[in-house]
Amino acid sequence: MVRDAQPNLLVGTASWLERERTVQAAVLFGSHARAPGAPAAADGWSDIDLQVVTTAPERILAADWNSIAAGQLCLRVLRPATSGVRKLTLLYAEGEIDLVIVPAWQLRVARFALAVGLHTRIGRVKDSLNNLSTIMGGGYRLLKGERSWGPFYARVVSELPGFRLSDEEILTMADSFLCDLHWVLQKLRRGELVAAQRILHRSMLETNIVLRHEAQCRAQAATFQQARRVEKLLSTEKLRTVQVSARLEYGELLRAAWSALAGLEIIMHELVPEWRVTPEAETLLAPWKLRDGAASQD
């Protein structure tokens, strides 16, 4: 892809959003909204992330995006996003634009709830505002609607903690990890390598990634969801807790499973130090370690 043309994509899109009467606010967030040199600032491969607050979502979806951004549109995909909204991904030869499309009425309800203090008592609104705080907390800039919506976004980012985990939720995730580990070990012994590989990546590694993000948040260290930029943000030791390196081969998958457990234990020591693999769980897992011998050693 020709990434040098990304600024043209943003200029064309921002210009159209400014003119479009159904758009009440347009917010640039993510890497392109961060100052140069800041953690995870935009580079030549960064997507353009925009949140669009509109009174007519279907009009935005039906727009001629092939000409709006002045690029060669190669793929257009509409997918669900957090808080019940939708994300329109536009993949151009010159770069990628992600439009999070928010119905204006939905954000007005959230703004009212925040203004009168109801957001603390309505779980769905609280969760939506925390998701918004998480998304915008890494940096944002209003391209349209500053006067009407600027104070709302500023308050959300400054007052809402963002998506965070309680100790109880963390403990549940850690114990669920042990269940997944036992399942993976069983599947490996049966020769179901693909099934084991799937859960190792989709569940066990994902648990470590989510918990590592929470640990970074609690330490007030730079961090982003979904393991973004971790290679640059984490130390070598911490990076090992959120990585898996294994081919579709019994011994490699087995070592990766035990390595993931070691990573979980390191992260849990930071989050909830009193957590341990219970004696009962140790007894359940012990036969697998003995049976597989040296292969279980990372």
Side-chain angles (χ1 to χ4, degrees):
M1 291 187 177
V2 184
R3 296 288 168 166
D4 290 340
Q6 275 193 344
N8 293 332
L9 292 179
L10 178 56
V11 169
T13 303
S15 177
W16 183 83
L17 292 172
E18 177 63 36
R19 298 192 308 271
E20 173 55 41
R21 58 182 176 78
T22 66
V23 173
Q24 294 193 351
V27 188
L28 177 69
F29 65 95
S31 57
H32 279 280
R34 299 180 190 120
D43 58 24
W45 298 99
S46 297
D47 304 334
I48 297 171
D49 297 304
L50 291 163
Q51 185 180 81
V52 179
V53 182
T54 175
T55 57
E58 299 306 321
R59 179 176 170 85
I60 306 301
L61 295 176
D64 181 13
W65 290 104
N66 200 38
S67 60
I68 288 173
Q72 181 184 344
L73 184 60
C74 302
L75 188 63
R76 178 185 182 279
V77 181
L78 182 63
R79 294 174 286 179
T82 57
S83 302
V85 300
R86 293 176 290 178
K87 179 169 72 172
L88 178 64
T89 295
L90 303 167
L91 189 59
Y92 294 88
E94 298 82 1
E96 180 178 329
I97 300 176
D98 286 324
L99 296 166
V100 179
I101 301 173
V102 182
W105 69 265
Q106 186 171 325
L107 209 60
R108 283 197 296 267
V109 169
R111 182 171 62 179
F112 174 78
L114 180 64
V116 299
L118 285 175
H119 66 290
T120 60
R121 289 180 278 174
I122 305 175
R124 184 173 180 179
V125 173
K126 182 179 180 181
D127 290 344
S128 294
L129 289 175
N130 273 316
N131 282 329
L132 182 61
S133 178
T134 296
I135 293 169
M136 300 299 169
Y140 72 96
R141 177 160 53 92
L142 270 86
L143 305 180
K144 181 179 182 180
E146 173 67 43
R147 179 178 297 180
S148 299
W149 290 100
F152 167 73
Y153 279 90
R155 186 176 175 188
V156 168
V157 171
S158 64
E159 296 184 15
L160 275 293
F163 174 76
R164 299 296 298 275
L165 296 170
S166 67
D167 283 0
E168 182 179 358
E169 290 170 323
I170 290 169
L171 290 170
T172 297
M173 291 178 68
D175 289 342
S176 297
F177 179 104
L178 296 179
C179 291
D180 291 333
L181 172 59
H182 185 257
W183 191 93
V184 165
L185 294 173
Q186 288 180 312
K187 297 302 174 286
L188 286 175
R189 291 294 295 180
R190 188 184 289 169
E192 296 184 49
L193 302 186
V194 173
Q197 183 186 59
R198 175 176 178 268
I199 297 303
L200 176 60
H201 283 268
R202 185 174 181 177
S203 183
M204 295 170 61
L205 179 61
E206 181 64 16
T207 294
N208 282 2
I209 287 172
V210 172
L211 293 181
R212 169 52 61 198
H213 174 67
E214 177 63 25
Q216 294 295 104
C217 286
R218 293 189 180 193
Q220 297 184 333
T223 182
F224 301 95
Q225 289 186 316
Q226 300 173 343
R228 298 293 304 277
R229 309 292 182 100
V230 293
E231 291 82 1
K232 294 183 178 180
L233 298 176
L234 297 182
S235 66
T236 301
E237 179 184 7
K238 289 181 178 179
L239 184 60
R240 289 195 191 101
T241 67
V242 292
Q243 67 183 33
V244 167
S245 180
R247 294 173 298 178
L248 193 66
E249 189 272 327
Y250 175 84
E252 292 195 18
L253 289 170
L254 182 64
R255 285 189 289 272
W258 291 118
S259 179
L261 174 59
L264 175 72
E265 291 176 320
I266 291 172
I267 299 170
M268 289 300 292
H269 181 71
E270 299 176 42
L271 290 171
V272 187
E274 63 271 20
W275 180 86
R276 296 288 188 278
V277 179
T278 65
E280 294 80 7
E282 287 279 12
T283 299
L284 185 65
L285 296 172
W288 299 102
K289 293 183 179 180
L290 295 173
R291 182 182 302 141
D292 294 309
S296 67
Q297 301 302 313
D298 188 15

